Amino acid sequence: MPRDIKFLTVLLAGAGILHFVKPEPFERIVPKPLPYKKELVYASGVVEVGSALLLARPQTRRWGGRLAALLLIGVFPANVQMTADVLQSRKAPTWFKVGTVARLPLQLPLLRIARKAARTPQ
């Protein structure tokens, strides 16, 4: 498995597991207008773990890449919400504010890796 796809696989698996182990931080970044925050966190955790499992196997890597790409697009509003909340916070340290802003464009390389996996020959 290429290193970049392995990285994405591990990242998605770890993040997905965290959605179940410690859902509260994820609930806080669900965009405010959306209801059922805990359920959305659990659902995105299932999709993250599922994407990782699909990416891990060459036979299902294309589907894993497609699912991971859709997931990254789908959770982007939560990342924007987190950034907006952190930037408005008086308690958040400067380094954390910088990190949340820097995190937004980092979604693009992850999306690129997912699309690469989706194009992987079976």
Side-chain angles (χ1 to χ4, degrees):
M1 173 185 317
R3 271 192 300 186
D4 54 352
I5 295 174
K6 183 182 262 187
F7 171 77
L8 181 61
T9 302
V10 171
L11 182 75
L12 289 171
I17 291 167
L18 277 176
H19 278 65
F20 296 99
V21 174
K22 197 158 174 66
E24 298 82 12
F26 297 102
E27 289 174 44
R28 286 194 295 270
I29 66 170
V30 172
K32 297 189 186 331
L34 295 177
Y36 308 110
K37 294 181 184 333
K38 182 169 275 196
E39 291 82 356
L40 287 170
V41 168
Y42 288 149
S44 62
V46 167
V47 175
E48 285 176 327
V49 171
S51 296
L53 291 172
L54 290 169
L55 284 167
R57 295 182 39 91
Q59 301 89 332
T60 57
R61 188 161 297 143
R62 290 179 74 158
W63 286 106
R66 292 173 184 160
L67 188 58
L70 290 173
L71 171 77
L72 290 165
I73 292 166
V75 301
F76 190 73
N79 295 331
V80 171
Q81 182 69 59
M82 177 179 159
T83 302
D85 292 345
V86 166
L87 290 176
Q88 292 175 2
S89 170
R90 293 179 185 211
K91 295 179 183 179
T94 302
W95 65 266
F96 192 69
K97 290 179 179 184
V98 170
T100 57
V101 171
R103 180 177 180 222
L104 293 176
L106 290 176
Q107 295 291 111
L108 289 173
L110 296 177
L111 185 58
R112 204 170 305 128
I113 295 167
R115 292 183 64 224
K116 174 185 172 183
R119 291 188 308 270
T120 301
Q122 291 182 340

